[in-house]
Amino acid sequence: MRFFQALILIPIAILALVISFAEAYDPSPLQDFCVAIDDLNGVFVNGRFCKDPMRVNAEDFFFSGLNVPGNTSNQVGSNVTTVNVDQIPGLNTMGISLVRIDYAPHGQNPPHTHPRGSEILVLIKGTLYVGFVSSNQDNNRLFAKVLHPGDVFVFPIGMIHFQVNIGKVPAVAFAGLSSQNAGVITIANAVFGSNPPIYPEVLARAFQLDENIVKELQAKFGP
Ligand SMILES: *[C@@H]1O[C@H](CO)[C@@H](O)[C@H](O)[C@H]1NC(C)=O
Ligand SMILES: *[C@@H]1O[C@H](CO)[C@@H](O)[C@H](O)[C@H]1NC(C)=O
């Protein structure tokens, strides 16, 4: 009997070992960077510190106000209301967050990427033209679609994507993201509005543009 018990336990032990190796990956970054330091004065962690569980209450998992439209009177004609770990501390380590996106007629959520999360978007009101572009290895293919209320579209992690309101009335969408803090890099702002600016000759060659046009763009997006 002991012998057979041992025979059963061996594969279980091996399986446990394999699982423990599979879980030994580094956790992925939960902010743009977390540079190591020697002195412990300014201690930060990957993500957030955890509150004493005995002091946790329902408010830590609650947010109110996603019924309120964001103000879309801006350059691009859209407004993203973010509900991530900054708004709901209970999202720390949960790997999810949420946004509401409002679009003025002909407004757009300009090309951007989320470095830390995939996105699933559902259109509630209006008509959107949405899409993402795959990586260089996939020949930068555009995956695009016109969405109507109730339609859902997925933007895979890291892919450059956008949404445009092609209707005559305001549009509203909600989206879930697979990170407590997915991050946003708006392409135009990051490239032409970096602080300090990237040398214009670099961007002129990269985008095959006249240097004066680059300087114009940098003036528009600059800090
Ligand atoms: C988005 O809307 C909020 C609430 O109306 C406003 O405070 C904020 O400035 C808007 N953001 C942009 C980028 O327009
Ligand atoms: C929306 O933002 C614009 C520009 O900042 C401002 O003039 C307008 O009063 C705002 N509207 C509301 C409803 O807050």
Side-chain angles (χ1 to χ4, degrees):
M1 198 60 184
R2 285 240 170 100
F3 176 71
F4 285 111
Q5 275 176 345
L7 269 190
I8 289 166
L9 283 177
I10 287 167
I12 291 173
I14 290 171
L15 193 68
L17 206 64
V18 167
I19 289 170
S20 73
F21 277 127
E23 287 177 343
Y25 286 117
D26 289 350
S28 49
L30 298 169
Q31 56 261 317
D32 282 358
F33 32 73
C34 184
V35 178
I37 48 156
D38 288 330
D39 79 281
L40 294 176
N41 284 332
V43 179
F44 292 85
V45 292
N46 190 20
R48 303 289 171 87
F49 289 111
C50 306
K51 192 174 177 180
D52 176 357
M54 293 312 292
R55 290 177 44 232
V56 169
N57 59 46
E59 295 302 316
D60 292 320
F61 303 95
F62 178 74
F63 174 87
S64 183
L66 223 48
N67 57 320
V68 181
N71 188 336
T72 58
S73 301
N74 53 44
Q75 292 292 86
V76 291
S78 75
N79 192 308
V80 181
T81 309
T82 305
V83 185
N84 64 23
V85 70
D86 291 335
Q87 287 76 33
I88 305 184
L91 281 177
N92 192 33
T93 75
M94 296 297 144
I96 51 168
S97 57
L98 181 70
V99 294
R100 171 188 172 127
I101 314 170
D102 289 281
Y103 311 83
H106 311 298
Q108 63 165 268
N109 189 8
H112 64 280
T113 166
H114 303 293
R116 292 179 291 277
S118 293
E119 175 174 350
I120 181 166
L121 177 145
V122 57
L123 182 64
I124 301 302
K125 200 184 122 200
T127 315
L128 290 183
Y129 171 66
V130 307
F132 71 86
V133 179
S134 66
S135 65
N136 298 8
Q137 286 87 340
D138 191 63
N139 298 316
N140 302 130
R141 283 190 296 157
L142 172 67
F143 296 79
K145 195 92 181 154
V146 171
L147 304 186
H148 301 285
D151 289 352
V152 174
F153 201 76
V154 174
F155 306 105
I157 183 168
M159 303 291 115
I160 292 176
H161 60 283
F162 60 87
Q163 300 107 29
V164 184
N165 182 0
I166 57 172
K168 294 191 179 75
V169 295
V172 185
F174 289 85
L177 293 129
S178 61
S179 169
Q180 69 179 42
N181 173 18
V184 189
I185 300 168
T186 305
I187 307 306
N189 300 64
V191 173
F192 294 105
S194 70
N195 186 11
I198 299 172
Y199 293 139
E201 52 266 41
V202 174
L203 297 178
R205 184 111 196 236
F207 286 85
Q208 298 287 293
L209 289 172
D210 190 277
E211 221 173 287
N212 288 321
I213 295 177
V214 170
K215 284 175 184 160
E216 241 173 71
L217 289 168
Q218 287 183 317
K220 227 170 250 174
F221 290 99

